[in-house]
């Protein structure tokens, strides 16, 4: 599908105001502690959603974020600084390089990383490095209930007011013509995964579990979609239906990652850390009574409790090295989402002195909510039997600032899009007693947010 790069007159006005307001705010904008770099802050009237700005999704690189615990949408466009890593120690290298960025107050870095840094083949994701972090040149923030945009533009050294005007106009225009083109050839998006393949994979996992080699392994399937919506439309659809999740999109190399993830790998705010343990799932009921029954069944199901306990046990143990004063409820609660409900435990604590958000992410990733137990055996089972590289699915995405605050979600309920095609992902924890057909159904509920957002009109890949 080709995306419309034409601006409507209302949107044209917003962009024009934006260029104007940034140029005007140049004089008097504070210099940062980096020589010659200025952070230009201003505001612009705008009453719609940021996600509805019709041509922003043709710009790249770009990032969109609406966390479920926030009323504030953020849109980042262009690159002031970037960190790209693909080696086996990509996350460790990102940690070092991110700590050296010395971000000015209020400036955030956004990014995402893959599930597995040792995987030599990256499949449909091969145009991307394995970890991408960038500080946008232009960041727009908007509270959903307000009608003005907070604007931050980072001007490079040596720019004057005239350059800034030209630079911003260029940033908002340069890539519009090149992107959003329907790419004709997508052979990598052609292989379907059917129920028989899934059952075979689950069967192999159950045999390893019976042989005592694994206790839990999270197996995923992928489904392909023909995308019938622009990214703007997809995001607005998710905003309407899945505000219980962190809605996130990143545009890189003409490809998109889109996610509506309910699970926070780690969040840090003023030294307080929290981690979501989500594992064990049931569908939502068709009426309140059925919903309540399914919820009770989930809470009392030994299989789901074992699946969940594996995550809580591993997360609390691993966190010891980076956090203290850890607390969590002894009984799991329930996290109800639009499409599915999960057993849920929130673990909270304080980051240890000298430890960072990324230290916590490194020690937690991948949790048994996306890999399994024992860790190493589960990861090698996934690599040997899942059948395709996960790429950024079950990796992480999020943001961080210069004060050490930030939030990284697990890339669940996500899709990789190369217009007009997309690949959507969903996985299920397999433990003793799991049934392939029930797990397939579960994966279908988990695919629902992306299927609906993308307006997928293909039949289910099942045959
Ligand atoms: C791997 C996924 O979900 C994980 C997170 C929550 C519940 C899960 C489960 O019940 O199987 C999975 O461990 C996915 O959505 O793709």
């Amino acid at each position: 599908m080709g995306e419309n790069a034409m601006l409507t007159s209302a949107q044209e006005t917003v962009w024009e105001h934006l260029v104007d307001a940034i140029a005007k705010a140049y004089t008097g904008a504070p210099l940062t502690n980096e020589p010659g770099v200025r952070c230009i802050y201003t505001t612009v009237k705008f009453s719609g959603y940021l996600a509805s700005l019709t041509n922003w999704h043709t710009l790249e690189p770009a990032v969109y974020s609406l966390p479920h615990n926030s009323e504030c949408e953020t849109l980042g466009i262009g690159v002031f600084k970037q960190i790209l890593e693909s080696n086996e120690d990509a996350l460790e290298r990102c940690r070092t390089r991110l700590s050296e960025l010395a971000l000015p107050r209020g400036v955030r870095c956004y990014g995402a990383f893959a599930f597995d840094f040792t995987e030599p083949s990256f499949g449909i994701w091969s145009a991307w490095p394995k970890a991408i972090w960038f500080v946008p040149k232009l960041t727009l923030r908007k509270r959903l209930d307000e009608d003005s945009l907070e604007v931050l533009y980072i001007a490079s050294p040596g720019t004057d007011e005239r350059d800034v005007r030209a630079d911003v106009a260029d940033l908002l225009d340069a890539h519009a013509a090149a992107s959003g083109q329907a790419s004709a050839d997508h052979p990598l998006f052609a292989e379907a995964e059917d129920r028989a393949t899934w059952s075979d994979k689950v069967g192999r996992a159950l045999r390893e579990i019976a042989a005592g080699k694994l206790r839990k392994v999270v197996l995923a399937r992928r489904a392909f979609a023909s995308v019938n919506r622009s990214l703007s439309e997809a995001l607005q659809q998710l905003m309407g239906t899945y505000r219980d999740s962190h809605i996130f999109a990143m545009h890189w190399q003409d490809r998109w990652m889109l996610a509506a993830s309910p699970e926070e790998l780690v969040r840090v705010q003023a030294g307080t850390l929290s981690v979501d343990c989500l594992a064990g799932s049931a569908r939502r009921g068709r009426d309140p009574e059925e919903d309540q029954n399914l919820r009770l069944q989930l809470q009392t199901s030994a299989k789901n409790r074992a699946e969940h306990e594996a995550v809580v046990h591993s997360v609390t143990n691993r966190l010891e090295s980076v956090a203290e004063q850890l607390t969590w409820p002894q009984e799991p609660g329930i996290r109800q989402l639009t499409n599915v409900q999960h057993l849920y435990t929130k673990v909270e604590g304080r980051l240890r002195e000298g430890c960072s958000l990324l230290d916590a992410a490194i020690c937690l990733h991948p949790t048994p909510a996306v890999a399994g137990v024992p860790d190493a055996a589960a990861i090698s089972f996934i690599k040997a039997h899942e059948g395709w590289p996960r790429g950024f699915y079950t990796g992480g995405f999020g943001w961080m600032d210069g004060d050490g605050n930030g939030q990284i979600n697990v890339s669940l309920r996500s899709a990789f899009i190369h217009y007009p095609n997309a690949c959507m992902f969903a996985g299920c924890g397999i433990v003793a007693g799991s049934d392939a057909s029930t797990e397939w159904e579960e994966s279908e509920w988990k695919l629902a947010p992306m299927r609906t957002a993308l307006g997928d009109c293909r039949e289910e890949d099942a045959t």
Side-chain angles (χ1 to χ4, degrees):
M1 186 187 81
E3 290 184 70
N4 190 356
M6 296 283 290
L7 302 177
T8 66
S9 56
Q11 276 132 6
E12 216 156 45
T13 316
V14 177
W15 294 126
E16 277 166 10
H17 282 170
L18 200 61
V19 176
D20 230 36
I22 293 171
K24 286 199 179 114
Y26 177 85
T27 312
L31 279 163
T32 62
N33 48 9
E34 213 174 312
V37 173
R38 275 176 207 276
C39 283
I40 305 174
Y41 295 95
T42 185
T43 54
V44 169
K45 282 262 165 240
F46 179 65
S47 56
Y49 293 130
L50 276 182
S52 74
L53 280 167
T54 316
N55 91 323
W56 75 265
H57 56 281
T58 63
L59 307 173
E60 78 161 86
V63 64
Y64 174 90
S65 161
L66 174 58
H68 87 272
N69 52 357
S70 161
E71 287 302 304
C72 200
E73 294 174 280
T74 306
L75 183 55
I77 298 166
V79 167
F80 170 59
K81 293 220 165 127
Q82 68 182 23
I83 293 171
L84 308 178
E85 292 288 350
S86 280
N87 291 340
E88 293 194 4
D89 60 350
L91 268 191
E92 287 79 2
R93 289 177 60 85
C94 286
R95 170 181 55 192
T96 310
R97 294 179 63 191
L98 282 162
S99 70
E100 290 163 358
L101 278 183
L103 295 173
R105 176 139 295 181
V107 174
R108 288 181 177 183
C109 186
Y110 293 85
F113 56 84
F115 168 71
D116 177 16
F117 300 101
T118 63
E119 182 63 68
S121 137
F122 217 31
I124 55 173
W125 304 82
S126 54
W128 282 19
K130 288 185 176 155
I132 301 172
W133 287 95
F134 69 105
V135 181
K137 226 162 159 48
L138 175 65
T139 304
L140 307 177
R141 280 169 68 75
K142 183 174 178 298
R143 277 192 62 88
L144 297 173
D145 56 354
E146 284 180 3
D147 58 3
S148 70
L149 300 179
E150 283 172 33
V151 180
L152 162 63
Y153 181 78
I154 308 180
S156 311
T159 30
D160 63 16
E161 190 181 325
R162 268 228 320 268
D163 299 329
V164 165
R165 186 178 286 276
D167 287 354
V168 182
D170 190 44
L171 184 69
L172 297 179
D173 201 41
H175 309 282
S179 58
Q181 306 280 341
S183 315
D185 193 21
H186 291 267
L188 289 165
F189 281 89
E191 319 133 27
E193 186 169 351
D194 58 18
R195 269 181 190 261
T197 315
W198 173 254
S199 298
D200 181 53
K201 270 195 312 205
V202 174
R204 270 182 270 167
L206 287 171
R207 285 194 290 281
E208 296 279 296
I209 291 168
K213 294 182 189 153
L214 287 172
R215 272 181 44 220
K216 168 179 177 176
V217 61
V218 179
L219 284 182
R221 57 177 273 240
R222 55 184 193 171
F224 296 100
S226 302
V227 188
N228 277 310
R229 298 227 168 92
S230 72
L231 238 288
S232 286
E233 291 166 332
L235 287 171
Q236 287 176 84
Q237 212 287 329
L238 290 172
M239 284 170 78
T241 328
Y242 295 100
R243 276 293 280 119
D244 47 28
S245 300
H246 186 160
I247 301 170
F248 183 90
M250 189 169 76
H251 196 190
W252 197 267
Q253 294 284 327
D254 203 25
R255 287 139 175 92
W256 283 95
M257 170 183 149
L258 176 67
S261 165
E263 182 170 2
E264 270 176 13
L265 179 68
V266 55
R267 175 141 62 107
V268 172
Q269 179 64 43
T272 298
L273 156 148
S274 66
V275 173
D276 286 341
C277 301
L278 277 190
S281 312
R283 68 174 169 83
R284 294 301 305 270
R286 280 172 279 258
D287 54 53
E289 196 185 329
E290 190 194 22
D291 210 33
Q292 173 73 357
N293 286 339
L294 288 166
R295 178 193 170 125
L296 287 174
Q297 278 168 29
L298 180 59
Q299 274 176 316
T300 50
S301 146
K303 174 207 157 267
N304 281 296
R305 291 291 287 260
E307 209 178 311
H308 186 76
E309 189 42 45
V311 179
V312 177
H313 184 258
S314 158
V315 162
T316 50
N317 274 334
R318 290 191 208 178
L319 277 177
E320 284 294 336
S321 60
V322 294
E324 54 199 356
Q325 300 166 36
L326 292 176
T327 57
W328 66 97
Q330 289 313 301
E331 287 289 303
I334 293 277
R335 180 93 192 271
Q336 289 194 311
L337 307 169
T338 307
N339 52 328
V340 64
Q341 37 194 335
H342 294 299
L343 290 176
Y344 170 58
T345 300
K346 187 181 186 113
V347 180
E348 290 176 290
R350 297 278 312 160
L351 259 191
R352 287 187 192 278
E353 192 69 35
C355 291
S356 68
L357 175 84
L358 262 203
D359 285 316
I362 288 166
C363 87
L364 289 168
H365 174 75
T367 73
V370 295
V373 183
D375 217 21
I379 294 172
S380 37
F381 185 88
I382 291 167
K383 284 162 82 151
H385 300 284
E386 203 154 65
W388 39 271
R390 285 188 179 184
F392 280 54
Y393 164 67
T394 62
F397 67 78
W399 63 269
M400 64 191 70
D401 67 17
D403 293 327
N405 302 315
Q407 146 176 32
I408 297 178
N409 274 72
V410 184
S411 307
L412 302 173
R413 324 292 144 88
S414 56
F416 183 67
I417 304 164
H418 192 187
Y419 274 94
N421 295 311
C423 183
M424 309 172 290
F425 308 90
C428 304
I430 308 299
V431 292
S434 293
D435 165 65
S437 155
T438 315
E439 302 297 340
W440 176 276
E441 299 309 326
E442 184 176 317
S443 70
E444 279 296 313
W445 319 323
K446 290 172 172 171
L447 287 171
M450 287 300 123
R451 271 204 210 285
T452 321
L454 299 176
D456 179 37
C457 54
R458 278 198 210 184
E459 289 298 304
E460 185 186 292
D461 286 326
T463 46

